[in-house]
Amino acid sequence: MAAAIARTPRVQVDLARVSFIDSTVLSTFVNAHSRAADRGVSLALVNPTGHVRRVLSMTGILPTLSTPDSGD
């Protein structure tokens, strides 16, 4: 993710095929969001389902990272 953040103004992480995440992944997303924000890059998590969506919602990360700045 760090390489993508360094190269582009907008990064989307497609979670459609991800069925499980834990605190390590959540920490990675939060840190990546911070790095992206520092560089003026839009970082969005897209297509979360099932367990992944529930975890992101329960932790409050989903509203922050679910919609790209462009309004997609």
Side-chain angles (χ1 to χ4, degrees):
M1 232 181 316
I5 291 169
R7 287 192 313 255
T8 184
R10 183 172 158 198
V11 176
Q12 289 186 332
V13 180
D14 189 351
L15 300 174
R17 298 185 70 165
V18 178
S19 61
F20 179 82
I21 59 173
D22 62 11
S23 61
T24 302
V25 176
L26 294 174
S27 177
T28 299
F29 288 152
V30 169
N31 289 333
H33 177 259
S34 178
R35 282 193 308 273
D38 288 347
R39 290 177 169 78
V41 173
S42 169
L43 174 65
L45 306 178
V46 297
N47 302 318
T49 61
H51 165 79
V52 173
R53 184 173 198 75
R54 281 190 299 280
V55 170
L56 293 171
S57 292
M58 287 175 18
T59 58
I61 293 172
L62 186 61
T64 303
L65 293 177
S66 65
T67 306
D69 291 342
S70 67
D72 291 3

